[in-house]
Amino acid sequence: MVCFGQNLATHLDEVMLITLKGDLGSGKTTLCRGLLRGLGHRDAVKSPTYTIVEPYDLPLGMVYHFDLYRVNDPQELDYIGFTDYLDNGMLSMVEWPEHGSEYLDKTDVHLTIEHRSSGRLVILQEGSELGKNFIERFVNCKFFIDHAMTD
């Protein structure tokens, strides 16, 4: 998942909102860790389960990693200025997006991770034209072709 995230990072070149769905332990935070590493972050990557958001000031710009698992009511996001983060970040990654769905109508890429007996299946779905272009660049890269597996 780290390697997958690092390779995703090489295709980022515009402001994006990526949501990540998957069961507990599916690898959402690990994928985000890889993405951050691929963008040049070298320090520890903490899970934002308790803080809800972890900001990263990187050469690309501000990157925000959200974990909405503990959000009971999407309106709680108003108290932390959620939309301000989304408006000001170069990249926002949101785990457990179903807990804040009314705030995520402009998602560029919907990423779903499913457990499989042989590992993980990562599904990328476009949410915008920008997301569609991003997925096309990634799917056509050597990493994806070398690592594509059938279930």
Side-chain angles (χ1 to χ4, degrees), residues 26-130:
S26 64
K28 297 179 298 296
T29 299
T30 303
L31 190 147
C32 290
R33 183 173 294 119
L35 222 157
L36 287 161
R37 294 263 186 265
L39 295 174
H41 182 71
R42 297 292 169 243
D43 295 328
V45 174
K46 298 181 284 182
S47 172
T49 300
Y50 293 100
T51 59
I52 300 179
V53 62
E54 287 291 334
Y56 299 90
D57 191 2
L58 302 176
L60 172 78
M62 287 304 296
V63 174
Y64 299 106
H65 179 196
F66 296 91
D67 185 330
L68 306 184
Y69 182 73
R70 298 192 177 277
V71 173
N72 296 314
D73 181 342
Q75 290 188 337
E76 292 176 39
L77 298 174
D78 287 335
Y79 301 124
I80 67 162
F82 185 71
T83 54
D84 291 335
Y85 284 112
L86 296 181
D87 290 343
N88 295 315
M90 180 64 184
L91 171 65
S92 294
M93 302 175 290
V94 181
E95 297 183 40
W96 300 97
E98 56 274 22
H99 292 239
S101 57
E102 64 190 56
Y103 292 87
L104 298 169
D105 58 346
K106 295 179 182 170
T107 299
D108 296 300
V109 175
H110 304 275
L111 190 148
T112 303
I113 303 170
E114 297 179 1
H115 284 280
R116 298 295 168 135
S117 59
S118 60
R120 307 281 194 278
L121 172 66
V122 179
I123 302 164
L124 300 168
Q125 295 175 295
E126 66 188 65
S128 70
E129 189 66 27
L130 176 65

